[in-house]
Amino acid sequence: MKRFGLHLLWNSCTRGLVLWLLRWFYPVKQGRVMFVSWNGAQYNCNPRAIAEAIARDTKALESFEPNYAFVNPDKFPDVPAQIHKVEIGSLEYYYLLATSQFIVSNIRFAGIYFPYKKNSQAYIQTMHGGHGIKRVEFDAELSADYVKSALEDTRRTDMMPSDSRYWTNIYRTAYRYTGEVLEVGLPRNDIFFAPNYIKDDLRQQVFETVGLDDENSNIRLLIYTPTFRGNGRRDVYGFNVDNVIQALETRFGGQWHVLISSHPNMRSYYRDIYDFSHPQTHDVGTYPDLQELLVVSDVLITDYSSAEMDFSLTKRPIFQLIRDLADYDRGTYISPVDLPFPYAENDAELVQNILSFDEKKYLSDLEAFNRDIIGLNETGHASEAVIRWMLEKMKS
């Protein structure tokens, strides 16, 4: 269906009225799917992985009609032609939302854009991270408005994919979710198991983005992915780039460049924190898909971010740099010092950890951690498993 071109006043009253009318007068269409990432601001994460898995599968396209919602669809020209783009706020968006059999989101969605859910609709809440150490949802401090929206979102959820026994338990406690969990891995992490030719293409894409020669096999990438602080602290970020690069070159060889990423909650100020004038430092804070950056990187430095758990699927070195453990405002489920990743509180310790990195011990500790503490179950086929779940739902 083509875009109607008519836009509605973006407020809860209009939205509620239109969806209420659509709820009663338009039936759900079997196989129609509405995907949305970060409330339409991005095209990435678990919804993208599932949508593109459908788009690649001719047989799946016989069963599904994938739609992807964006605030500004024109900003995303790389969406496959098999996936229909729709503008949030348009009448078409409301119509497709009200008539989709499946709604897939990676953040809380139901209470904001989805006030009426039919019994014949299934809401898949993938969230935007897997198992990690920082406290989340009801285990962290939340505003009253968010609590209300989160509880409503959880009440409407029909399925959540999980990467581990650990993360499933977090769903039950921190998310207050009692429904079905598909413990098959996270769709967005399927990329770590992709064939080498796909990873090579991603390497070329990332290198072109930051202006590096992808034919230079001696170039290696360090990616830095700290998470946000609710208290707004900025003094906890960054490190001496020259010292870290020198340590990496001494321990691992190669010619190192640093990619600096940004949590979405830091987008408004992260450029004020880092010195991007350094010739070996590259700003990837607005790169559309963090997983692609992780796949092509050789080493990760982070703090409390769950990106370290995703990156660990590569079995490449991970180093923690945490300057505020004593007063971190979110709190942690597992102390960072108990992780299999070398822990540092300052630059000197970070450099020493790089120079003394013991790969054999690291891999042994990582395997034991994933097996005994996390109960990891990443298969590389999570998107396919979610699609199978959807197909079974269509039969019921």
Side-chain angles (χ1 to χ4, degrees):
M1 179 172 54
K2 295 182 179 180
R3 188 178 301 178
F4 287 99
L6 176 63
H7 288 72
L8 304 172
L9 186 62
W10 185 246
N11 61 50
S12 59
C13 294
T14 304
R15 181 171 63 245
L17 173 61
V18 170
L19 282 177
W20 183 84
L21 291 171
L22 291 170
R23 170 189 171 94
W24 288 107
F25 293 104
Y26 290 89
V28 166
K29 181 179 179 181
Q30 187 177 51
R32 178 171 286 164
V33 192
M34 178 66 79
F35 294 96
V36 59
S37 302
W38 299 99
N39 280 348
Q42 299 183 40
Y43 175 59
N44 58 15
C45 201
N46 294 304
R48 175 186 177 181
I50 300 168
E52 291 193 352
I54 292 174
R56 289 191 301 267
D57 188 336
T58 303
K59 188 173 181 180
L61 284 171
E62 295 175 358
S63 301
F64 295 105
E65 177 200 302
N67 300 277
Y68 222 110
F70 298 102
V71 174
N72 184 355
D74 294 336
K75 290 178 61 177
F76 303 94
D78 296 331
V79 176
Q82 298 88 341
I83 302 171
H84 175 64
K85 295 187 292 185
V86 59
E87 183 175 358
I88 290 178
S90 66
L91 181 57
E92 180 189 25
Y93 166 75
Y94 286 114
Y95 170 76
L96 292 175
L97 181 63
T99 58
S100 288
Q101 185 178 11
F102 302 98
I103 295 93
V104 184
S105 175
N106 73 331
I107 66 172
R108 298 295 193 181
F109 178 76
I112 303 174
Y113 297 110
F114 191 30
Y116 297 107
K117 175 174 176 282
K118 302 177 183 179
N119 293 334
S120 54
Q121 291 181 304
Y123 175 44
I124 301 173
Q125 174 55 268
T126 71
M127 296 312 294
H128 51 276
H131 68 282
I133 64 170
K134 68 180 180 182
R135 293 185 175 274
V136 296
E137 294 296 293
F138 291 98
D139 290 339
E141 291 187 13
L142 302 170
S143 67
D145 288 342
Y146 184 84
V147 167
K148 180 180 178 181
S149 174
L151 287 173
E152 181 67 13
D153 188 88
T154 294
R155 185 183 70 80
R156 297 171 187 268
T157 300
D158 294 283
M159 190 273 281
M160 299 183 77
S162 169
D163 63 3
S164 61
R165 178 183 66 246
Y166 173 95
W167 192 230
T168 298
N169 290 336
I170 297 296
Y171 283 158
R172 301 303 187 200
T173 55
Y175 286 83
R176 310 285 173 85
Y177 177 64
T178 60
E180 185 173 0
V181 175
L182 208 60
E183 202 170 290
V184 294
L186 299 180
R188 73 179 195 172
N189 284 343
D190 289 345
I191 193 172
F192 290 104
F193 302 87
N196 286 334
Y197 74 88
I198 292 180
K199 295 178 182 178
D200 290 342
D201 288 345
L202 289 177
R203 174 184 165 89
Q204 180 179 0
Q205 178 178 308
V206 171
F207 272 49
E208 288 178 355
T209 298
V210 299
L212 293 174
D213 179 9
D214 68 287
E215 294 184 1
N216 184 348
S217 60
N218 200 39
I219 292 180
R220 299 191 180 183
L221 299 178
L222 160 66
I223 185 167
Y224 178 51
T225 63
T227 192
F228 73 100
R229 268 67 170 176
N231 57 18
R233 282 189 63 175
R234 302 189 182 186
D235 60 320
V236 296
Y237 299 108
F239 47 81
N240 186 299
V241 171
D242 289 321
N243 290 346
V244 168
I245 286 178
Q246 183 178 359
L248 289 167
E249 291 178 349
T250 300
R251 173 60 183 84
F252 301 107
Q255 195 177 81
W256 287 83
H257 287 255
V258 182
L259 308 181
I260 297 182
S261 183
S262 167
H263 189 281
N265 289 351
M266 298 171 61
R267 293 283 166 83
S268 63
Y269 62 83
Y270 80 96
R271 288 191 179 93
D272 298 332
I273 300 174
Y274 307 112
D275 178 16
F276 288 112
S277 65
H278 192 289
Q280 289 169 268
T281 299
H282 307 277
D283 177 7
V284 293
T286 57
Y287 189 88
D289 198 323
L290 175 61
Q291 304 310 95
E292 294 181 356
L293 297 173
L294 296 177
V295 165
V296 304
S297 295
D298 299 284
V299 167
L300 170 72
I301 295 177
T302 189
D303 45 28
Y304 310 97
S305 173
S306 63
E308 63 187 345
M309 304 302 183
D310 296 343
F311 189 78
S312 72
L313 295 172
T314 69
K315 299 185 179 179
R316 299 168 193 155
I318 298 171
F319 299 96
Q320 298 179 87
L321 177 60
I322 297 177
R323 305 181 192 275
D324 59 344
L325 182 57
D327 60 350
Y328 177 52
D329 56 344
R330 292 287 291 258
T332 62
Y333 295 111
I334 302 173
S335 173
V337 300
D338 294 327
L339 297 178
F341 318 123
Y343 172 82
E345 294 183 346
N346 54 58
D347 281 26
E349 292 178 359
L350 173 64
V351 167
Q352 183 55 42
N353 286 341
I354 294 172
L355 293 172
S356 62
F357 180 73
D358 184 335
E359 182 179 17
K360 184 176 180 181
K361 181 180 185 303
Y362 172 75
L363 293 176
S364 176
D365 290 348
L366 178 59
E367 180 181 3
F369 177 76
N370 284 335
R371 180 188 65 240
D372 301 332
I373 305 300
I374 302 301
L376 186 67
N377 187 34
E378 283 285 6
T379 63
H381 301 284
S383 297
E384 298 169 22
V386 172
I387 292 171
R388 285 197 299 271
W389 182 90
M390 295 165 69
L391 287 169
E392 288 298 316
K393 201 74 173 176
M394 290 169 65
K395 297 176 183 177
S396 61

